[in-house]
Amino acid sequence: MKAVFIAYDQAHAHKIIDILDRLSLRGFTRWEQTSGRGTTDGEPHYGTHAWPSLASSILTVVPDGMEHPLLERLRALDAESPRLGLRAFVWEVTDAL
């Protein structure tokens, strides 16, 4: 199993859920308001007067091999609006309850 952490601009919220649904990836945990900034570019998401936008985050655990189609679709979504911000990271899950 793989854990996929997705951090994204709130404008992507419905599209991210749609991607998970279309891939039949049901389980996830979502944090609707997270803040941060990208590694190299993009505007910060702080929820402040100067930087009012916020991000959201999702953590989903997927079967081995499903991380690839998920990342492909996330990359395509990010390419549509690269300035909004969308990042995804994959970790190995060694045990689960």
Side-chain angles (χ1 to χ4, degrees), residues 37-86:
R37 64 181 181 198
T39 306
T40 57
D41 59 8
E43 294 187 5
H45 292 72
Y46 294 153
T48 65
H49 236 322
W51 303 102
S53 66
L54 280 168
S56 294
S57 302
I58 284 180
L59 180 65
T60 184
V61 177
V62 304
D64 286 332
M66 286 303 295
E67 72 276 13
H68 301 295
L70 176 56
L71 288 177
E72 285 175 18
R73 292 181 186 196
L74 293 174
R75 282 186 183 104
L77 177 59
D78 185 45
E80 291 175 14
S81 302
R83 299 281 301 158
L84 280 182
L86 191 159

Side-chain angles (χ1 to χ4, degrees), residues 5-56:
F5 179 81
I6 309 165
Y8 55 92
D9 185 284
Q10 288 179 333
H12 285 312
H14 296 294
K15 293 177 182 178
I16 300 286
I17 300 298
D18 186 57
I19 288 170
L20 293 172
D21 288 345
R22 289 176 186 270
L23 292 172
S24 299
L25 299 172
R26 179 170 156 60
F28 64 85
T29 299
R30 178 173 56 184
W31 296 269
E32 291 197 26
Q33 292 187 353
T34 55
S35 61
R37 64 181 181 198
T39 306
T40 57
D41 59 8
E43 294 187 5
H45 292 72
Y46 294 153
T48 65
H49 236 322
W51 303 102
S53 66
L54 280 168
S56 294

